[in-house]
Amino acid sequence: QVQLVESGGGSVQTGGSLRLSCAVSGYTFSRRGMGWFRQTPGKEREGVAGFDTGRLTRYAESVKGRFSISQDNAGNILYLQMNNLKPEDTAMYYCAARLPPYYRYYDPLRASEYNYWGQGTQVTVSS
């Protein structure tokens, strides 16, 4: 059974940093199979960071240059380093995973392409 558990969220002031972690069990996913999303009440889940089929990082335009996604060598933990946080980054953050095959036409920032989700970790950024 695939399980994803996020941690590392919290409350920070504008300009602060947080590192989110997602512990994975039940399967060893490649970078192409995982990503980070966020959601605020009443809005669609937004793709934040992921890897394309060439294993290059992809980011939402709003976080580019501030966030960084990575995976540990064993593939058991997915990270999201968030720097220079802004109030608009406030959201529930989720890690997501999908099983192979990973087709070239898949969009790593599209929520509907993922089948497994964690429970989320809250990030709140105050002015």
Side-chain angles (χ1 to χ4, degrees):
Q1 184 178 16
V2 175
Q3 289 187 318
L4 285 66
V5 181
E6 303 96 334
S7 62
S11 298
V12 298
Q13 294 184 336
T14 298
S17 298
L18 286 172
R19 187 174 77 161
L20 306 184
S21 299
C22 176
V24 182
S25 62
Y27 193 85
T28 300
F29 296 93
S30 70
R31 286 171 289 177
R32 293 170 294 173
M34 302 196 71
W36 285 98
F37 293 77
R38 66 186 181 187
Q39 188 171 29
T40 55
K43 296 185 178 181
E44 293 292 321
R45 194 161 295 186
E46 174 191 17
V48 175
F51 302 92
D52 63 20
T53 53
R55 300 190 178 185
L56 299 177
T57 55
R58 289 275 306 282
Y59 299 97
E61 189 66 29
S62 60
V63 308
K64 192 173 298 182
R66 300 187 297 117
F67 290 11
S68 179
I69 187 173
S70 62
Q71 187 182 51
D72 73 325
N73 292 333
N76 296 321
I77 307 175
L78 183 73
Y79 299 100
L80 183 67
Q81 179 65 47
M82 305 184 294
N83 298 321
N84 192 24
L85 285 162
K86 304 176 180 180
E88 50 263 46
D89 294 318
T90 296
M92 183 73 75
Y93 283 73
Y94 301 88
C95 63
R98 58 189 178 188
L99 295 171
Y102 308 122
Y103 299 106
R104 289 186 296 172
Y105 48 82
Y106 278 2
D107 183 353
L109 302 184
R110 184 176 179 180
S112 62
E113 295 183 354
Y114 294 82
N115 295 315
Y116 304 101
W117 298 87
Q119 295 299 308
T121 184
Q122 180 67 39
V123 172
T124 302
V125 185
S126 60
S127 301

